[in-house]
C-alpha cells in the first residue's frame, strides 16, 4: 500500500490543511505523522522535545513515517523534519512526494511566535531562516513536485496539487 501523495515541507507550509483538502477532493483519508506521534505518546510534540529530547522524537518520527507509508493509501503529511532522516528519504522513493515550499516572511507570519514549536525557541525569524536554509535542498531532492505556497490560500495550493497529479 502506498499513499496517493506525501506532503513535505517546513512548519507553516500548510501541509496538514492542504492534506485535508486533497483527501476530501479525492475521497480518501488524510493522515499526519505528527498527530500519529502525539496520539501514541499521549503528549504534544513540544512536550516530547522538552521531556525526552530531539533524538528521541526523531526516532519516534522515523517509526511513525515508516508505519504510515506502509499502511496508508490516502494523503500523508509528514512533520517538517521527517525527511532529514536518510532512511525516511529511502522509504519515499517511488512515492509521489509534493514539497510545499514557503518563503521566510510567509513562514514567520504563519507560524507566529512559535508557541508549541520547540525548534523555534529564541529568535523565531532567525531560527526559521536557518531551518529553511538547511532543509530546502533536502525537501527539493526528496520531492517529485514542488508547489509554492507564498501568497496563496490552502485551496489554491490544493488545486495546483490536484492539477499536477490528475
Amino acid at each position: 500500500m502506498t499513499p496517493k501523495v506525501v506532503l513535505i515541507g517546513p512548519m507553516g507550509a500548510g501541509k496538514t490543511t492542504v492534506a485535508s483538502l486533497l483527501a476530501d477532493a479525492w475521497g480518501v483519508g488524510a493522515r499526519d505523522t505528527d498527530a500519529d506521534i502525539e496520539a501514541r505518546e499521549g503528549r504534544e510534540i513540544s512536550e516530547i522535545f522538552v521531556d525526552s529530547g530531539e533524538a528521541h522524537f526523531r526516532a519516534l518520527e522515523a517509526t511513525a513515517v515508516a508505519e504510515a507509508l506502509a499502511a496508508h493509501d490516502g494523503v500523508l503529511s509528514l512533520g517538517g523534519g521527517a525527511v532529514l532522516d536518510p532512511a525516511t528519504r529511502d522509504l519515499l522513493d517511488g512515492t509521489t512526494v509534493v514539497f510545499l515550499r514557503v518563503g521566510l516572511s510567509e513562514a514567520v507570519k504563519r507560524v507566529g511566535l512559535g508557541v508549541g514549536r520547540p525548534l523555534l525557541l529564541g529568535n523565531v525569524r532567525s531560527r526559521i531562516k536557518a531551518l529553511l536554509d538547511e532543509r530546502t535542498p533536502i525537501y527539493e531532492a526528496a520531492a517529485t513536485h514542488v508547489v509554492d505556497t507564498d501568497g496563496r490560500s490552502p485551496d489554491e495550493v490544493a488545486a495546483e496539487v490536484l492539477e499536477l497529479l490528475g
Side-chain angles (χ1 to χ4, degrees), residues 21-148:
L21 293 168
L22 292 172
D24 288 349
W26 283 320
V28 298
R31 185 167 174 177
D32 182 312
T33 56
D34 281 352
D36 289 351
I37 294 165
E38 290 180 342
R40 176 176 293 146
E41 291 291 301
R43 54 189 175 147
E44 293 183 8
I45 287 170
S46 57
E47 292 175 59
I48 297 169
F49 263 81
V50 171
D51 296 343
S52 306
E54 183 175 0
H56 178 71
F57 171 75
R58 294 297 174 205
L60 295 172
E61 182 174 56
T63 300
V65 171
E67 289 173 357
L69 285 170
H72 186 67
D73 61 358
V75 180
L76 181 61
S77 172
L78 303 188
V83 296
L84 299 179
D85 179 10
T88 294
R89 292 196 303 273
D90 288 345
L91 290 174
L92 290 172
D93 270 354
T95 304
T96 302
V97 178
V98 175
F99 166 31
L100 299 183
R101 182 167 41 205
V102 62
L104 176 61
S105 59
E106 191 84 13
V108 170
K109 273 191 273 186
R110 293 179 187 175
V111 171
L113 295 176
V115 175
R117 298 192 187 257
L119 289 179
L120 295 185
L121 297 176
N123 182 327
V124 173
R125 186 178 181 84
S126 68
R127 289 294 301 137
I128 291 176
K129 181 181 184 330
L131 289 170
L132 290 176
D133 290 349
E134 170 195 350
R135 295 177 178 182
T136 295
I138 298 168
Y139 293 138
E140 289 171 343
T144 314
H145 304 282
V146 178
V147 174
D148 287 305

Side-chain angles (χ1 to χ4, degrees), residues 5 7 13-26 30 75 77 98 100 110 147 149 152-162:
V5 66
L7 301 181
K15 299 179 299 288
T16 303
T17 303
V18 171
S20 178
L21 293 168
L22 292 172
D24 288 349
W26 283 320
V75 180
S77 172
V98 175
L100 299 183
R110 293 179 187 175
V147 174
T149 67
R152 303 171 78 191
S153 72
D155 288 318
E156 291 169 322
V157 173
E160 182 174 338
V161 174
L162 289 167

